[in-house]
Each structure stands twice: as C-alpha cells, then as structure tokens.
Amino acid sequence: MRDNELIIKNIIKKIENLDYVFVKLRESFPRLNNGEDIDIFTTQRKPLFENILSVLQEEIIDESIKIKILNRKSKDVITLIKDYKILLKFEIYFSLSELRNLSVKDSIISNIVYQFNTKYLDKELIYKVPNDIYECLIRYIDFSENFFYHPDKKRHLDYLDKLIKEKKVNENKFFKKLYYFVSFSNNYNHSEKNFLLKKYDSTIN
C-alpha cells in the first residue's frame, strides 16, 4: 500500500480537470499524518466523488483495508481505514447548508471554486486552492461556527491576521465578502455574536 502523500498526489492527477479547491490545507500538505482530513469544495459532486473513490479503491490490497462512505445533505465523506484506524479522510463539500450557527448564501461554493489559485507539487503537478480572501472567509466561517466548542479554531483567526498584516488580504474587502455571504443564525444570541466579532477585532488589532 502506498503512503498518504503518494495517494494524495494520485488523486490530484485524477481530478486535475474538475472544478474543485482544497481548503484549509496544512502546511505539510501533501504529507499528512494518519487520521488527518482533507476538505474540498466542488461544483462537480459526482465526478469528484467517483474519481477520489477510484484512487482509494486501488489501495485495497487485503481485508485490513476498508473504505467508509457517508453521504450527507451538504457533503460526501470518504474515509480510508486500515486495521480499524483512519488513514485519510476526504470531506467533499458541495453546500454549506448544514451549518448550525451561520447562514451562508448558496452561491458561496461556486464563487470560491471558480476564483482559485494554482499551486505546484514536484514542479509539474498542479492543484487548486481558493484565492487568499476566500481562504480567509472559509476559515472565518469555520471559526464562527465552531469556536465555542472548539477553541483551537482560533488558529483560523491567526491565519487571517497573518495575511492582513502581510497585505495579502485587504481587511475592508474581506469584511465586504463576509457580510455579503454570511449572517449569524438565531442559534447565537446577541452577546455571543458580539463576542465573535470582538474576538476578531482583538486578533487583528
């Protein structure tokens, strides 16, 4: 069985002509530890799912290796498992309709997917990621949705802060995108909403 890095590279080759972006990538990508997940946004749910699955199926060389599939309202999840331990998990988002605490416009996925940047592996292998402002928007959504239960999500604010300080993202343009695409649901009360916004302000300033 091939290691995680080679599996990911094979997937990148397989999906090169499809509309997708990898989001919230770790700095070590494509070198991932067992159990780590990869989030993907796409406007081509079925072909992306089928192509990733076909690559993973090639890794099934004995009964110790299995693939688990979960189809949800907003995403498909494909998990590669060996000896009952997760090797890789691919979360393929085609909607953000299952967010509990935020309301996001339906068009956000297509906007993110079609305004991508390209990156290179091994000088020839190309993969797609969101442009910087959309990457920050995705991370801010993740932070706002999950911070009260997962305080480690503050790392996404740190990422946003870094890009703003490096002038890779304009703060005013970021907030225009945020307020255009995102609104808080009634699951957050007024004080919680203010806390999240103040948390952002304290990080940036």
Side-chain angles (χ1 to χ4, degrees), residues 26 46 49 69-70 89 98 114 151 154-155 172 190 192:
R26 295 168 175 81
K46 185 177 179 180
F49 174 87
I69 295 172
L70 176 65
K89 180 187 288 185
E98 290 185 278
Y114 294 136
K154 184 183 175 295
R155 68 183 184 275
N172 290 331
H190 183 71
E192 287 173 330

Side-chain angles (χ1 to χ4, degrees), residues 66-80:
K66 301 183 185 301
I67 294 174
K68 180 180 178 182
I69 295 172
L70 176 65
N71 303 115
R72 294 180 53 172
K73 182 180 179 181
S74 64
K75 66 181 179 179
D76 297 316
V77 182
I78 309 175
T79 308
L80 184 65

Side-chain angles (χ1 to χ4, degrees), residues 27-43:
E27 291 184 1
S28 62
F29 183 86
R31 295 182 297 278
L32 299 185
N33 296 322
N34 288 345
E36 293 185 334
D37 63 318
I38 299 174
D39 291 349
I40 307 173
F41 284 12
T42 186
T43 56

Side-chain angles (χ1 to χ4, degrees), residues 28-168:
S28 62
F29 183 86
R31 295 182 297 278
L32 299 185
N33 296 322
N34 288 345
E36 293 185 334
D37 63 318
I38 299 174
D39 291 349
I40 307 173
F41 284 12
T42 186
T43 56
Q44 294 182 285
R45 175 186 181 181
K46 185 177 179 180
L48 192 78
F49 174 87
E50 291 176 346
N51 278 275
I52 292 175
L53 181 60
S54 69
V55 173
L56 297 181
Q57 286 173 332
E58 295 174 1
E59 303 303 320
I60 301 178
I61 56 176
D62 58 50
E63 293 183 354
S64 69
I65 303 171
K66 301 183 185 301
I67 294 174
K68 180 180 178 182
I69 295 172
L70 176 65
N71 303 115
R72 294 180 53 172
K73 182 180 179 181
S74 64
K75 66 181 179 179
D76 297 316
V77 182
I78 309 175
T79 308
L80 184 65
I81 300 169
K82 180 176 173 61
D83 295 325
Y84 303 102
K85 295 180 180 179
I86 294 175
L87 299 182
L88 288 172
K89 180 187 288 185
F90 295 86
E91 299 197 28
I92 305 167
Y93 288 86
F94 45 88
S95 168
L96 295 180
S97 60
E98 290 185 278
L99 297 177
R100 301 179 304 276
N101 302 310
L102 301 173
S103 177
V104 179
K105 287 188 176 182
D106 293 338
S107 60
I108 191 170
I109 294 284
S110 59
N111 275 267
I112 291 170
V113 169
Y114 294 136
Q115 298 185 53
F116 62 87
N117 290 335
T118 55
K119 293 195 173 185
Y120 286 84
L121 291 174
D122 303 331
K123 297 182 180 180
E124 295 182 354
L125 197 58
I126 299 174
Y127 64 96
K128 304 170 192 174
V129 297
N131 66 31
D132 288 336
I133 198 165
Y134 276 122
E135 176 68 21
C136 288
L137 181 59
I138 295 163
R139 288 172 180 264
Y140 189 83
I141 288 170
D142 192 2
F143 161 76
S144 298
E145 173 73 5
N146 298 297
F147 175 76
F148 287 109
Y149 304 99
H150 302 282
D152 64 306
K153 296 291 185 180
K154 184 183 175 295
R155 68 183 184 275
H156 294 318
L157 283 191
D158 296 335
Y159 180 91
L160 173 57
D161 179 42
K162 180 176 181 289
L163 265 62
I164 287 176
K165 287 180 177 177
E166 292 175 352
K167 300 189 183 304
K168 293 180 179 179

